[in-house]
């Protein structure tokens, strides 16, 4: 089996989530220092874990987007998949400034809930187009659930 790769589509697909995540981190950059000074729940990882995990998740997100975009079938309707991808990415972008800069922990938790819902819907849509695109988003969903636990616990511990 020969796999054809459209390098331009792949690079664009990788760049979109990496750029959005990078911009969000840039906006909240100096405010992220609060993580080490707030009360944290059990299982809270050291701060250095977050940029590593998010970078991996953004790459997986980009690969999934590429698999969907590159799937050639004139009968496939990819509109919902793209809409849910965009929705979860918008919520993803908003979360860091709301959590770190505004310190609105409860509001950030609700953003995470919407992000997880959009991600679940995206996974279902991806699955109808490319099973691999869907499977590559499972680590992201698991991370969002863990982040939800951390976010809500931080809200409770820092009211």
């Amino acid at each position: 089996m020969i796999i054809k790769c459209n390098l331009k589509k792949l690079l664009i697909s990788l760049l979109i989530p990496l750029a959005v995540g990078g911009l969000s981190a840039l906006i909240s950059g100096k405010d992220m220092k609060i993580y080490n000074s707030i009360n944290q729940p059990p299982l809270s990882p050291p701060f250095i874990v977050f940029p590593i995990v998010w970078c991996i998740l953004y790459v997986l997100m980009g690969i999934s987007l590429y698999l969907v975009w590159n799937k050639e079938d004139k009968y496939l309707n990819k509109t919902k998949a793209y809409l849910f991808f965009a929705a979860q990415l918008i919520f993803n972008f908003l979360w860091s400034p709301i959590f770190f800069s505004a310190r609105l922990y409860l509001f950030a938790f609700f953003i995470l809930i919407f992000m997880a819902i959009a991600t679940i819907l995206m996974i279902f849509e991806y699955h109808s187009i490319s099973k691999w695109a869907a499977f590559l988003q499972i680590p992201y969903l698991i991370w969002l659930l863990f982040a939800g636990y951390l976010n809500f616990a931080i809200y409770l511990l820092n009211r």
Side-chain angles (χ1 to χ4, degrees):
M1 177 178 176
I2 298 174
I3 299 173
K4 292 186 346 185
C5 179
N6 182 323
L7 190 56
K8 183 177 178 182
K9 279 185 181 179
L10 178 60
L11 291 176
I12 292 169
S13 298
L14 289 169
L15 183 63
I16 292 169
L18 286 166
V20 170
L23 183 59
S24 180
L26 188 64
I27 289 170
S28 348
K30 65 178 177 14
D31 297 320
M32 290 181 180
K33 294 176 186 172
I34 66 154
Y35 180 78
N36 292 324
S37 64
I38 57 177
N39 296 321
Q40 297 177 18
L43 304 177
S44 293
F47 185 76
I48 190 64
V49 169
F50 293 97
I52 295 166
V53 169
W54 277 111
C55 200
I56 292 166
L57 294 174
Y58 288 135
V59 168
L60 292 175
M61 207 182 289
I63 293 168
S64 290
L65 178 61
Y66 169 76
L67 291 173
V68 168
W69 187 12
N70 204 46
K71 181 82 171 204
E72 293 181 17
D73 184 341
K74 65 181 178 181
Y75 299 107
L76 280 177
N77 184 351
K78 301 176 188 177
T79 305
K80 284 186 189 175
Y82 294 141
L83 286 174
F84 292 131
F85 171 81
Q88 65 79 26
L89 200 56
I90 290 167
F91 290 128
N92 188 302
F93 173 81
L94 294 172
W95 186 86
S96 286
I98 291 168
F99 184 88
F100 292 112
S101 301
R103 298 182 188 187
L104 298 172
Y105 303 132
L106 185 59
F107 186 55
F109 176 70
F110 287 115
I111 294 292
L112 257 174
I113 290 172
F114 291 129
M115 191 185 330
I117 291 168
T119 300
I120 290 167
L121 294 170
M122 178 184 71
I123 289 169
F124 279 112
E125 290 299 320
Y126 276 13
H127 192 268
S128 67
I129 299 165
S130 165
K131 288 180 180 27
W132 278 107
F135 294 148
L136 288 174
Q137 293 312 294
I138 300 302
Y140 179 40
L141 181 58
I142 292 168
W143 183 256
L144 289 178
L145 296 174
F146 178 63
Y149 153 73
L150 291 175
N151 189 153
F152 192 70
I154 287 171
Y155 162 71
L156 293 175
L157 294 169
N158 292 280
R159 292 194 272 170

